[in-house]
């Protein structure tokens, strides 16, 4: 089982120091506005992904008047426990797994299968394709050990090709990157398409569980980042060379991939209410969690910031029941304790947070 046993934070936002021994099921953090609830969720997400969901400036994560933040957790995985740590100063990040320096964030992320639901999560449907690609790639990364390498290859080739296009270098120097770009794009495409295909039946199941009032099932349409009508990506790249040269960047490719969600042929964003959009995102995360568990035989860890802002009482209870049923450790925040039903008290723990100080409720 992937479960967080222990969590320690030092100098993270308004949390000077915190040490929590977590429960296997519900972990509820209750506090007023500005107490530090989102900060705690953000700290776990930072440990798992290397970045914040609130800022692109890591310096902002370090507590004011301090020079370094430290995050540490103990994780139970199958029969083993792992110690995972991250320290960050203004200009340096140090990552450690079981006392050894980790070279990449990907090594840390592979150990910590953490999912996140925040009051902004409905943006997954609302905004451009970037968030949907991140969602899809979370699954691909955790399911296919080659994915991260292919993705890095692709990014490198794309960067170099775009650089050459922008500098208006001779065609031969631009097309030098095409083979690497095409090879990795085609493999990324297969992995992503397969992932979405496998995810869809679970999405259908969780949409039905969370929104039984919707009589039609959702459809997921994966878009590779180039038109379906194209004979191949290789050919498309060749055909678009003049246009790419004119624009100074590569128009088509895996960096433009997307997923369209539809109900009865209509775009999800158009047919669902705001509340249903949030439930749809919950269904997507639960589908992803279930598929992850199928592959790895480990549950994910779910972070939910401000659950009452997300869902009404009935749907909060349905979601909590599903999390219990799926044996997913969940760390939730709320401004009021009575908004969160404790369904399984043996596996639950509650903390109160005030000005960044956490106190466990016994
Ligand atoms: N680097 C930092 N150093 C010290 N304090 C910080 C830092 N960054 C943010 N803060 C403060 O931390 C506090 C906690 O913010 P946070 O967003 O975590 O609160 P919250 O409990 O989620 O509140 P809400 O219920 O309004 O969402 C805020 O008062 C914020 O000003
Ligand atoms: Mg908050």
């Amino acid at each position: 089982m992937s479960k967080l046993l222990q969590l320690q934070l030092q100098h993270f936002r308004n949390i000077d120091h915190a040490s929590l021994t977590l429960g296997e099921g519900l972990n509820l953090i209750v506090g007023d506005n500005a107490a530090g609830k989102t900060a705690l969720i953000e700290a776990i997400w930072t440990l798992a992904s290397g970045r914040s969901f609130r800022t692109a400036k890591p310096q902002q994560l370090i507590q004011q008047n301090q020079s370094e933040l430290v995050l540490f957790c103990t994780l139970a995985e199958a029969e083993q426990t792992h110690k995972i740590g991250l320290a960050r100063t203004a200009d340096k990040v140090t990552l450690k797994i079981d006392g050894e320096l980790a070279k990449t964030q990907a090594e840390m992320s592979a150990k910590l299968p953490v999912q996140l639901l925040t009051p902004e999560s409905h943006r997954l449907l609302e905004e451009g394709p970037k968030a949907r690609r991140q969602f899809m790639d979370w699954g691909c990364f955790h399911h296919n050990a080659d994915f991260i390498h292919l993705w890095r290859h692709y990014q490198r080739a794309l960067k170099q090709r775009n650089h050459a296009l922008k500098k208006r270098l001779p065609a031969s120097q631009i097309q030098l990157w095409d083979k690497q770009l095409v090879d990795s794009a085609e493999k990324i495409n297969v992995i992503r398409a397969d992932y979405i295909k496998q995810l869809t039946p679970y999405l259908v199941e969780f949409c039905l569980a969370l929104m039984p009032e919707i009589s039609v099932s959702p459809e997921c349409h994966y878009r590779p980042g180039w038109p379906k009508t194209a004979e191949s990506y290789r050919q498309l790249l060749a055909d678009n060379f003049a246009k790419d040269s004119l624009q100074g960047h590569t128009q088509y490719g895996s960096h433009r991939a997307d997923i369209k969600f539809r109900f009865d042929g209509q775009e999800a964003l158009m047919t669902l209410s705001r509340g249903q959009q949030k439930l749809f995102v919950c269904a997507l995360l639960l589908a992803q969690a279930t598929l992850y568990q199928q592959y790895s035989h480990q549950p994910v860890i779910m972070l939910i910031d401000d659950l009452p802002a997300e869902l009404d009482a009935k749907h909060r209870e349905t979601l909590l029941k599903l999390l219990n049923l799926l044996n997913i450790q969940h760390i939730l925040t709320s401004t009021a304790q009575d908004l969160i039903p404790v369904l399984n008290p043996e596996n639950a723990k509650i903390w109160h947070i005030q000005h960044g100080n956490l106190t466990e409720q016994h």
Side-chain angles (χ1 to χ4, degrees):
M1 49 173 204
S2 299
K3 302 250 162 136
L4 286 173
L5 303 174
Q6 265 261 320
L7 182 68
Q8 283 171 25
L9 284 71
Q10 208 183 351
H11 303 154
F12 190 93
R13 297 243 190 221
N14 70 332
I15 303 174
D16 184 71
H17 180 85
S19 179
L20 293 79
T21 302
L22 294 141
E24 285 192 12
L26 167 72
N27 293 276
L28 175 61
I29 317 290
V30 184
D32 293 338
N33 294 139
K37 302 180 299 297
T38 304
L40 187 90
I41 297 289
E42 191 182 25
I44 306 171
W45 182 252
T46 302
L47 197 55
S49 71
R51 55 196 161 80
S52 158
F53 52 86
R54 286 206 284 192
T55 175
K57 295 182 186 143
Q59 175 84 46
Q60 291 179 356
L61 304 177
I62 305 172
Q63 191 178 26
Q64 266 161 30
N65 305 320
Q66 296 293 340
S67 55
E68 186 181 42
L69 71 82
V70 182
L71 304 172
F72 174 83
C73 75
T74 319
L75 177 85
E77 186 203 73
E79 301 295 299
Q80 296 182 314
T81 60
H82 294 289
K83 293 182 191 314
I84 297 171
L86 177 153
R88 184 184 267 288
T89 61
D91 49 16
K92 190 164 174 259
V93 190
T94 312
L95 309 172
K96 276 193 180 177
I97 303 174
D98 295 330
E100 304 267 336
L101 279 178
K103 285 201 190 70
T104 61
Q105 177 61 43
E107 287 177 59
M108 307 267 284
S109 303
K111 285 253 171 300
L112 275 171
V114 173
Q115 288 190 323
L116 174 71
L117 189 73
T118 76
E120 280 77 42
S121 290
H122 62 271
R123 286 195 194 152
L124 189 84
L125 296 179
E126 220 168 62
E127 291 187 347
K130 192 176 169 197
R132 290 184 291 277
R133 273 197 301 276
Q134 279 174 353
F135 166 80
M136 171 162 65
D137 288 351
W138 185 100
C140 297
F141 168 77
H142 282 288
H143 289 182
N144 191 311
D146 293 336
F147 186 78
I148 182 86
H149 306 294
L150 291 168
W151 192 83
R152 283 199 192 118
H153 266 105
Y154 181 83
Q155 289 298 330
R156 198 178 312 131
L158 181 68
K159 202 172 151 197
Q160 298 287 0
R161 189 179 194 268
N162 282 346
H163 178 78
L165 283 166
K166 208 170 172 185
K167 293 264 167 199
R168 306 202 180 285
L169 297 182
S172 61
Q173 287 197 40
I174 299 168
Q175 285 161 344
L176 200 67
W177 299 103
D178 287 11
K179 186 173 171 1
Q180 191 177 328
L181 198 71
V182 169
D183 285 354
S184 37
E186 282 174 349
K187 287 178 186 151
I188 287 172
N189 182 36
V190 171
I191 297 172
R192 280 174 169 168
D194 180 56
Y195 181 70
I196 296 303
K197 195 173 159 206
Q198 292 194 54
L199 189 77
T200 305
Y202 294 109
L203 179 66
V204 169
E205 189 184 314
F206 286 114
C207 273
L208 187 68
L210 288 164
M211 298 180 281
E213 69 278 10
I214 299 183
S215 53
V216 286
S217 296
E219 305 146 38
C220 300
H221 299 276
Y222 164 69
R223 302 271 189 271
W226 55 85
K228 269 195 182 137
T229 46
E231 190 184 313
S232 69
Y233 179 49
R234 188 184 307 273
Q235 192 56 49
L236 188 77
L237 215 54
D239 293 348
N240 272 270
F241 185 74
K243 210 169 168 193
D244 281 357
S245 300
L246 204 67
Q247 291 185 344
H249 68 262
T250 309
Q251 203 188 341
Y252 295 113
S254 301
H255 59 293
R256 301 283 302 276
D258 198 359
I259 326 164
K260 299 273 179 224
F261 300 111
R262 299 221 167 102
F263 284 88
D264 215 6
Q266 289 253 41
E267 248 194 79
L269 187 63
M270 299 299 151
T271 47
L272 303 180
S273 75
R274 174 54 64 93
Q276 285 175 326
Q277 289 171 28
K278 293 182 172 190
L279 289 164
F280 184 75
V281 176
C282 288
L284 276 169
L285 291 181
L286 290 172
Q288 194 165 59
T290 311
L291 193 53
Y292 176 82
Q293 198 158 355
Q294 284 242 324
Y295 271 76
S296 67
H297 307 289
Q298 310 282 342
V300 302
I301 298 156
M302 184 90 72
L303 309 176
I304 307 183
D305 192 28
D306 206 352
L307 182 65
E310 287 285 289
L311 309 176
D312 63 34
K314 191 181 96 198
H315 289 105
R316 283 201 288 277
E317 185 157 345
T318 311
L319 177 64
L320 291 168
K321 275 186 183 153
L322 288 169
L323 290 169
N324 269 313
L325 201 72
L326 296 167
N327 185 26
I328 293 175
Q329 183 182 37
H330 41 298
I331 301 161
L332 309 182
T333 74
S334 173
T335 48
Q337 190 173 336
D338 58 5
L339 295 176
I340 311 292
V342 179
L343 305 175
N344 192 355
E346 313 86 80
N347 281 343
K349 286 208 175 195
I350 300 170
W351 286 266
H352 293 269
I353 185 165
Q354 229 180 349
H355 307 301
N357 294 309
L358 282 137
T359 326
E360 193 178 335
Q361 177 176 299
H362 290 286

